[in-house]
Amino acid sequence: MNQQFKVRCFDAKTGTHPELLLLGENEASVIALAEQAGLTVTGIEAVVAQVAVVVPGSTPVHPQVMVAQVVKAPIVAQPVAPSQPAKPPSPKAPIAVPLATPVGSVAPLVIPVSKSPAPSNPVQRPVSPATKTGDISPPPKRKKHGENLFPPTGEVVINVVPMLDMTFQLLFFFIITFQAPTGLEAQIPLVLPPPEGQQEAAKDKKDKTDKDIVPTIDSDVIVEVKSLNNPQYPGEMGEVEVSALAKEIIRPTPGKSLEDGRNEVLVRLGEAMKQMAQDLKKDKLSLRLKADPGVKWERVIQVADTCRQAKFLGIRFEKPGGS
Amino acid sequence: MNSGSGEAHVVEPNLISLLDLVMQLLMFFIMCVTFVTDQAAAEISLPDSQAAAPIEDKDTNVQIVNIRPFNTNDPALIAKYSGNPKYLEEMGKRFLPGQVYVIVSGQDPMSIGSFRNWLRDQHTRATMAMGLEKKAVDTTIIIRAHRDTDYKDVYSVLELCRNQGYNQLVVRVLKV
């Protein structure tokens, strides 16, 4: 009949000194068993209490338990309470390996208890009070970290690291070449007066397509931007002349500063154009915009913008007037 | 449990979620990228406008013409050629102060006279490419004139384009 032995040994792999309870016919067989598992036995001692724990079908994790599998015997690594009374060895099998230290002074357990599923028969498993409330019985499905991370079950694991590298490359390329869409710019379509002598000729010829016909706007509304003619402010506009059925000259109130006077002219021009838009009652309003040669482009666009706000969307730029 | 066990524990960060995020960003930038860097010259300060129409994207066949008066003391020009002051000197020999010059992409700044010749060449090439005798081509000319340009200079460029056969003219402004 198998007997239980308390074995203290040295695990060269891990550098620990586990203390085990092993089953065997005699001490020699137990030592052989331990050596088979790669453990150097430093002390052995028979335990009178009979074997207790049967762990059928448990998943072996630690070499100590692997030992149990080797002998196909219900052996389990289990903590040994320090207070457990040392029993004299059986006369049949005297101690082969002398104990390095007396059993009573064994340090508290450092046995790596296997995380195998809890035994179906939990009886008689001596548990030290310190571990009673601890995680001696972890959930059965829990896996040791690093183990079975890539289980050999045919699961394909894609290595995303090179893809990530390449994606970052692309990302930085696009970030660097990124330009915010220039939504700030807008445009004003315009037409010019037809070239001299071409207006009728273009309309007469049938073989010409639409592209060949110079688009033009015929409007009776003429807005003329006059230069301020002040050498101190080159390119500034002075008065604005609006001529439709009647001629209206909008000029700034004397004494106003340059900017105020200009703003006043633009405001009054806007009002006049809105009034004219109401009077004309047309769907498509258009005008001819004329400016003195030296007027700044910015002022011309300001006047054109004011007219566009008054729904005069078709603008034909006229040849600069003389001055 | 693993202290001193000698077992190599590989810490594996979860890269999948990171990859998701990076892909999102990547897609955003791919969608937003505009490789056509608009033949716009940076030193042009456009006039402001409130009622201008938004730019239509459908016009792919465009030619942007930048117009600007030259001045050696212009801060915008000094800033542009800060890395190459010699070039500004060179331009000073070619253009008088206050003279208007034209910039089109791929060309050196040119006077209005040179621009006329260049535009004529362009027009000849375009009509030959179409294999037609047509005078007009369907390229839209986009005028980007600096706000300090005189009206007569902008008009002369506009008229020049029109007389060459470019009938679709548009001026760019800055939306405010």
Side-chain angles (χ1 to χ4, degrees), chain A residues 24-300:
Chain A
E25 275 189 35
N26 51 37
E27 286 178 355
S29 66
V30 170
I31 289 165
L33 199 65
E35 242 128 53
Q36 236 180 334
L39 303 169
T40 314
V41 178
T42 56
I44 188 164
E45 180 176 303
V47 178
V48 171
Q50 281 305 304
V51 191
V53 184
V54 180
V55 193
S58 64
T59 315
V61 170
H62 200 269
Q64 284 88 332
V65 190
M66 276 165 61
V67 172
Q69 267 202 338
V70 168
V71 293
K72 306 252 191 260
I75 300 178
V76 72
Q78 59 181 211
V80 178
S83 60
Q84 200 168 356
K87 292 294 170 184
S90 90
K92 267 193 201 169
I95 300 173
V97 181
L99 288 170
T101 48
V103 175
S105 70
V106 168
L109 301 174
V110 284
I111 298 177
V113 177
S114 96
K115 294 219 166 190
S116 59
S120 52
N121 179 12
V123 218
Q124 302 175 27
R125 181 165 179 172
V127 177
S128 66
T131 56
K132 210 165 207 168
T133 55
D135 55 347
I136 193 107
S137 303
K141 290 289 173 198
R142 189 170 152 194
K143 284 176 179 173
K144 200 172 166 184
H145 183 70
E147 195 180 45
N148 285 348
L149 204 60
F150 303 107
T153 56
E155 190 182 327
V156 180
V157 180
I158 300 167
N159 192 6
V160 293
V161 179
M163 181 154 90
L164 199 63
D165 288 348
M166 192 202 68
T167 312
F168 266 117
Q169 291 284 339
L170 283 170
L171 181 65
F172 287 126
F173 169 72
F174 281 112
I175 285 179
I176 286 168
T177 58
F178 178 68
Q179 272 187 326
T182 53
L184 290 172
E185 282 191 20
Q187 62 190 18
I188 297 178
L190 58 97
V191 296
L192 296 182
E196 284 141 28
Q198 270 195 23
Q199 195 175 8
E200 279 74 31
K203 281 177 183 170
D204 289 345
K205 290 192 177 177
K206 282 188 177 177
D207 58 332
K208 293 210 168 186
T209 58
D210 290 345
K211 292 261 185 264
D212 293 313
I213 298 168
V214 178
T216 187
I217 289 172
D218 285 319
S219 175
D220 295 331
V221 184
I222 298 172
V223 176
E224 195 168 346
V225 186
K226 300 277 189 195
S227 172
L228 188 64
N229 278 333
N230 186 341
Q232 209 181 336
Y233 305 111
E236 280 300 333
M237 67 178 206
E239 59 197 37
V240 175
E241 198 178 295
V242 182
S243 50
L245 300 170
K247 188 177 273 191
E248 186 184 352
I249 296 176
I250 303 165
R251 49 168 68 93
T253 315
K256 276 199 174 182
S257 74
L258 180 74
E259 197 169 333
D260 287 350
R262 187 174 67 226
N263 290 338
E264 185 202 349
V265 168
L266 289 172
V267 168
R268 282 170 55 197
L269 173 70
E271 287 164 2
M273 296 310 285
K274 273 174 192 155
Q275 186 60 48
M276 198 181 294
Q278 282 181 3
D279 294 348
L280 285 172
K281 285 176 184 149
K282 273 203 220 164
D283 287 343
K284 287 183 179 175
L285 293 165
S286 56
L287 60 87
R288 288 147 71 179
L289 182 61
K290 198 172 182 178
D292 279 356
V295 179
K296 274 200 283 185
W297 182 239
E298 186 181 9
R299 303 285 166 254
V300 178

Side-chain angles (χ1 to χ4, degrees), chain B residues 8-75:
Chain B
H9 278 284
V10 185
V11 180
E12 295 257 359
N14 192 4
L15 295 175
I16 307 284
S17 46
L18 182 68
L19 195 64
D20 288 347
L21 182 79
V22 171
M23 281 291 187
Q24 291 282 340
L25 283 170
L26 188 62
M27 283 301 155
F28 169 72
F29 282 109
I30 286 178
M31 305 275 271
C32 288
V33 78
T34 46
F35 282 111
V36 186
T37 49
D38 241 14
Q39 312 143 17
E43 69 266 34
I44 304 286
S45 173
L46 293 173
D48 297 335
S49 165
Q50 291 173 11
I55 294 172
E56 294 166 24
D57 281 339
K58 64 178 181 181
D59 285 339
T60 50
N61 197 5
V62 295
Q63 174 63 55
I64 294 188
V65 176
N66 301 281
I67 310 168
R68 188 185 206 295
F70 176 77
N71 200 337
T72 328
N73 304 321
D74 198 319

Side-chain angles (χ1 to χ4, degrees), chain A residues 184 188 193 211 295 297 305 318, chain B residues 49 51 149 151 162 167 175:
Chain A
L184 290 172
I188 297 178
K211 292 261 185 264
V295 179
W297 182 239
D305 195 42
E318 291 289 326
Chain B
S49 165
T149 320
Y151 176 68
R162 202 272 318 276
N167 288 332
K175 189 92 175 171

Side-chain angles (χ1 to χ4, degrees), chain B residues 63-121:
Chain B
Q63 174 63 55
I64 294 188
V65 176
N66 301 281
I67 310 168
R68 188 185 206 295
F70 176 77
N71 200 337
T72 328
N73 304 321
D74 198 319
L77 289 183
I78 291 170
K80 176 168 184 188
Y81 298 113
S82 59
N84 191 3
K86 277 260 170 79
Y87 193 81
L88 195 58
E89 277 179 38
E90 200 68 25
M91 279 177 72
K93 288 175 193 162
R94 290 170 51 204
F95 303 114
L96 298 168
Q99 187 187 347
V100 164
Y101 67 97
V102 178
I103 312 162
V104 292
S105 67
Q107 297 288 319
D108 276 341
M110 48 190 155
S111 66
I112 289 183
S114 322
F115 173 69
R116 181 190 292 120
N117 296 337
W118 178 83
L119 196 70
R120 193 170 53 218
D121 292 348

